[in-house]
Amino acid sequence: MASNAPAGQREGESSDQAPRRDRIELSPLPPEANPADPGFEILLKDLAVGFVSTSAMEVDAEIDRWLGRITSFFGADRSSISQRTPTGFSVTHCWAREPKHLPTLGRDERTFPHIAAAIGRGEPYLFPHVDDIPPDHFEEREAVRTEGIKSHVSVPMVVAGQIVGVMSVSFMRSECPWVAGISRRIELVVTVIGNALARKTEAAERRMTARALAHAERIATLGQLASSFAHELNQPLAASLTNSDSALRLLDRKPPDLAEVREALVDIAADMRRAGDIVRELRGYLRRQNMKVEAVDLGRFATSVTRFLLPEARRRGVDLRIDVASGPRSAAVDRIQLQQALVNLALNAFQALEGAPAGRRRVTLTFGAPVEGRFPLSVADNGPGVPESMRASLFAPFATTKPEGIGLGLPICRNIAEAHGGTLEYTPSPSGGAVFSFSVPVATGPAHGR
């Protein structure tokens, strides 16, 4: 659609008057609207290169930065990106020369039904002059009057044949007779931005899928640990029951032995705290949440991981060792994700030792001293190691040597390592066994919490 201008006359003109001149065809195009303008080619090239080198997490900030440059290049006063939602189009990015002209983020573009209808058909909506807006487009006329817009163009954002959004450019200081030429340029600009937003959306969907798989993996892991935790919980509960029976008998004495009753109650309180700690560890491990990076003391964290793994280590007859370097220990990590990675790697090590003689099964978790701003972490065992035939596909999804395994544990651990700016690596131990290692960043602030 070249224009939404009425075919016959301006509002207020009679039908027998000569039709007005078409501003779009008869007005000269400035350099920024010229199809062969080298300045626009440079702008478009810089835009494409800029988004190619931008990570999915930084796409929003890059769009905000580019909107200012694009708006200034066209001599406009405001630009915005609206993305399609189940109910219409919602403003997600905007830039304006003056803050008073900024649209409200999240504004529902259904407020402009005719613009939304044109975009939904895959057509631009534009007007060089406010009188070019059809008389029956009441909502658009009112918005233009209220916001002080003199010329405007909205162009659909199409990705893979689907309309996913709209880019709008408005002129407030003066009219822009050549908005049709600008519209053709914006179509090229919006293609680059649309592809960047699609890449961001795909990355977000992958993260959601990864979180769902990680949560499922945590549930599956707890299934493996159920008998160990049941035994671990049973001990303090049984001890509490014994101590409470003893306290009741002591109270029945004449006179009651209050000193021994007090000791029994102290023991009951300690056993209940121990049971509570186990339940809290389980609840924390099962918690489903978005990535939350915080400063964590690796020394206290190592103690927490050890407490979580010890019941299973005892059941399997594994000597579990923890090696924490002295000195600074504050790391910037997602506590739940890091715990999942280390627990998963440790359980793999436990299983690798099933064929080893009792008393010779050893797994070591190492929390090393920082090197170049990162803490090295590793899980090592003295088992048979990874077969040579499996090493090339070790981190591939669904690759597993376990009859009951689904092959998602190591890929999830690698995703967690990468989310912390590192990578999970396997190296065979010189003394036999496997070593899985990765690193996490040093925190800039003090550690807190468990």
Side-chain angles (χ1 to χ4, degrees):
M1 186 170 85
S3 172
N4 290 92
Q9 71 274 353
R10 283 191 193 176
E11 190 176 16
E13 291 181 335
S14 62
S15 59
D16 58 349
Q17 289 178 300
R20 61 179 176 81
R21 293 191 304 164
D22 191 330
R23 288 183 172 84
I24 297 175
E25 297 300 328
L26 299 183
S27 296
L29 293 178
E32 60 266 27
N34 189 327
D37 172 39
F40 177 74
E41 292 179 1
I42 293 173
L43 175 81
L44 191 62
K45 179 181 177 181
D46 290 349
L47 177 73
V49 170
F51 277 105
V52 165
S53 59
T54 298
S55 71
M57 299 290 288
E58 298 170 328
V59 164
D60 286 326
E62 189 71 0
I63 290 176
D64 291 336
R65 187 176 73 84
W66 269 99
L67 282 181
R69 182 173 170 183
I70 293 166
T71 307
S72 299
F73 179 85
F74 289 126
D77 299 288
R78 183 178 78 185
S79 62
S80 65
I81 297 290
S82 300
Q83 295 184 65
R84 193 160 214 162
T85 68
T87 59
F89 296 96
S90 179
V91 177
T92 55
H93 306 79
C94 56
W95 184 92
R97 292 181 186 274
E98 299 183 29
K100 66 180 181 180
H101 290 147
L102 285 170
T104 303
L105 286 176
R107 180 173 70 176
D108 191 341
E109 296 294 5
R110 288 181 300 175
T111 311
F112 312 105
H114 299 92
I115 294 180
I119 297 301
R121 296 191 299 269
E123 303 170 352
Y125 185 104
L126 59 89
F127 55 87
H129 187 278
V130 292
D131 289 344
D132 295 325
I133 305 174
D136 59 336
H137 292 194
F138 304 112
E139 295 85 353
E140 284 76 11
R141 282 180 167 270
E142 178 60 23
V144 164
R145 184 191 66 80
T146 302
E147 298 184 21
I149 299 173
K150 293 183 170 61
S151 299
H152 177 87
V153 56
S154 290
V155 175
M157 180 185 294
V158 182
V159 176
Q162 300 293 318
I163 298 169
V164 298
V166 53
M167 181 173 181
S168 299
V169 176
S170 302
F171 298 79
M172 274 82 169
R173 293 171 298 169
S174 60
E175 293 180 10
C176 177
W178 45 81
V179 287
I182 287 177
S183 173
R184 293 194 292 272
R185 308 279 71 74
I186 294 176
E187 287 175 7
L188 298 175
V189 167
V190 84
T191 297
V192 177
I193 295 177
N195 287 328
L197 284 171
R199 183 159 52 89
K200 172 198 162 190
T201 300
E202 290 170 2
E205 290 172 351
R206 286 196 300 270
R207 288 195 298 273
M208 288 179 63
T209 301
R211 282 197 296 269
L213 286 173
H215 188 247
E217 179 73 11
R218 288 199 293 274
I219 293 173
T221 299
L222 283 183
Q224 298 176 43
L225 301 176
S227 61
S228 297
F229 276 113
H231 176 71
E232 195 74 5
L233 274 171
N234 186 60
Q235 287 181 330
L237 293 177
S240 294
L241 180 60
T242 300
N243 282 321
S244 61
D245 288 341
S246 298
L248 289 173
R249 286 195 300 273
L250 292 169
L251 286 173
D252 287 337
R253 289 182 181 179
K254 303 296 183 183
D257 190 336
L258 297 182
E260 289 195 36
V261 169
R262 184 178 185 337
E263 289 182 11
L265 292 176
V266 168
D267 289 340
I268 291 172
D271 288 330
M272 289 299 96
R273 278 194 295 270
R274 181 182 169 195
D277 287 341
I278 295 171
V279 172
R280 275 191 294 275
E281 291 290 342
L282 289 170
R283 289 181 62 188
Y285 190 75
L286 280 174
R287 188 177 299 123
R288 186 172 184 170
Q289 62 180 29
N290 295 333
M291 188 169 181
K292 180 183 177 183
V293 175
E294 57 185 335
V296 173
D297 183 291
L298 290 182
R300 291 198 293 268
F301 179 79
T303 301
S304 174
V305 172
T306 305
R307 188 165 56 239
F308 193 88
L309 287 169
L310 267 178
E312 185 69 4
R314 292 194 192 103
R315 188 179 75 83
R316 291 177 176 269
V318 173
D319 176 15
L320 179 62
R321 301 179 181 183
I322 306 296
D323 182 6
V324 182
S326 59
R329 299 186 304 192
S330 180
V333 299
D334 180 296
R335 184 191 306 274
I336 299 299
Q337 287 194 11
L338 184 58
Q339 182 186 35
Q340 177 175 4
L342 292 173
V343 167
N344 199 308
L345 293 172
L347 290 179
N348 285 349
F350 291 175
Q351 293 167 3
L353 293 170
E354 286 180 348
R360 296 183 60 187
R361 302 171 184 176
R362 185 176 68 255
V363 172
T364 304
L365 275 63
T366 301
F367 298 77
V371 178
E372 297 181 353
R374 301 187 66 83
F375 289 102
L377 311 179
S378 67
V379 177
D381 65 66
N382 63 336
V386 176
E388 186 73 35
S389 60
M390 280 291 300
R391 293 178 188 177
S393 60
L394 187 59
F395 298 104
F398 309 114
T400 181
T401 58
K402 307 172 191 173
E404 75 284 0
I406 59 174
L408 289 177
L410 285 178
I412 288 172
C413 290
R414 170 166 273 192
N415 285 341
I416 292 172
E418 291 174 351
H420 289 83
T423 185
L424 180 62
E425 298 178 339
Y426 162 78
T427 53
S429 173
S431 58
V435 179
F436 287 89
S437 58
F438 62 100
S439 64
V440 294
V442 173
T444 56
H448 56 84
R450 293 181 288 117

